[in-house]
Amino acid sequence: MPERRVLTELDEWPRHQTIDTFDMVASASPGWSDGYWHCVGDPDGEIHLITAMRLYPNTNVIDAYAILSTAEGKQYNVRATRRLRPNIDDLTAGPFRMDIIRGHRTLRLGLDTNPHQVSFDILWESTAPPYDEAAGVRGWTDGRIVRERSNIVQLGDVSGWIRAGGREYRFAVQD
């Protein structure tokens, strides 16, 4: 008997590409994933942040990480994971959270207080339309697909704060 399909908030929208619900993907690969990767760079070199969130529907996992470096030469690493289902619409993992306020326009990225001495609350606002960097790139070996990739890239301004090692860095969009 087939597994019961789970309806998500996205299933309300008329955007289906298969007969399945949005909690399913059209690939059986356990490595299939979808998600986000953000880089925040400080022009003065005080602090740099890379943070990501990935959803792995075929292994029922969502994970997130942050790598933060400071001008003092310190690096902070935080990683969290949880079961994706039954809360597939919830973009959180441990202290990490992401809110899509308006797709391709406004996002909020957060890392709540945790034992690793780093946290942030960042509002990202687009400054350019999204760019389809790698539309459906596939790699083949011996007549079979061994990798697939599709990337959308977009520039934006950030405002908010980052705390690391007892210091707070505040930033706002410059005119």
Side-chain angles (χ1 to χ4, degrees):
M1 174 153 71
E3 223 175 289
R4 187 173 151 246
R5 298 178 349 148
V6 176
L7 294 172
T8 69
E9 289 179 21
L10 291 175
D11 286 302
E12 177 69 21
W13 294 90
R15 300 287 190 264
H16 294 80
Q17 300 293 311
T18 71
I19 62 170
D20 291 314
T21 57
F22 272 96
D23 89 316
M24 310 284 279
V25 294
S27 169
S29 171
W32 196 98
S33 71
D34 196 4
Y36 304 89
W37 187 70
H38 294 95
C39 296
V40 177
D42 172 15
D44 296 328
E46 292 279 322
I47 195 162
H48 299 282
L49 171 68
I50 298 172
T51 186
M53 184 172 282
R54 302 294 304 172
L55 287 77
Y56 299 85
N58 292 338
T59 56
N60 199 30
V61 170
I62 181 172
D63 69 8
Y65 68 83
I67 304 167
L68 182 111
S69 64
T70 66
E72 294 83 34
K74 267 202 114 170
Q75 179 175 315
Y76 300 84
N77 302 296
V78 183
R79 186 173 194 106
T81 188
R82 71 167 174 85
R83 292 175 59 107
L84 179 59
R85 294 177 184 85
N87 299 321
I88 195 168
D89 290 321
D90 180 11
L91 294 178
T92 63
F96 290 92
R97 61 186 155 70
M98 187 174 125
D99 298 309
I100 302 170
I101 298 167
R102 189 167 177 218
H104 295 296
R105 305 268 187 331
T106 310
L107 304 173
R108 182 173 294 279
L109 310 171
L111 176 59
D112 295 333
T113 302
N114 60 75
H116 305 287
Q117 299 184 356
V118 61
S119 57
F120 53 81
D121 185 24
I122 299 171
L123 184 68
W124 177 90
E125 297 178 279
S126 68
T127 57
Y131 173 72
D132 196 0
E133 176 190 69
V137 175
R138 289 187 173 92
W140 299 78
T141 299
D142 296 329
R144 60 187 178 89
I145 296 174
V146 293
R147 66 189 164 283
E148 294 181 298
R149 180 184 180 114
S150 178
N151 292 347
I152 297 171
V153 178
Q154 191 170 13
L155 298 175
D157 284 330
V158 292
S159 57
W161 55 265
I162 297 173
R163 292 185 187 120
R167 280 191 67 189
E168 181 171 280
Y169 304 85
R170 291 195 164 270
F171 41 93
V173 174
Q174 303 293 315
D175 291 329

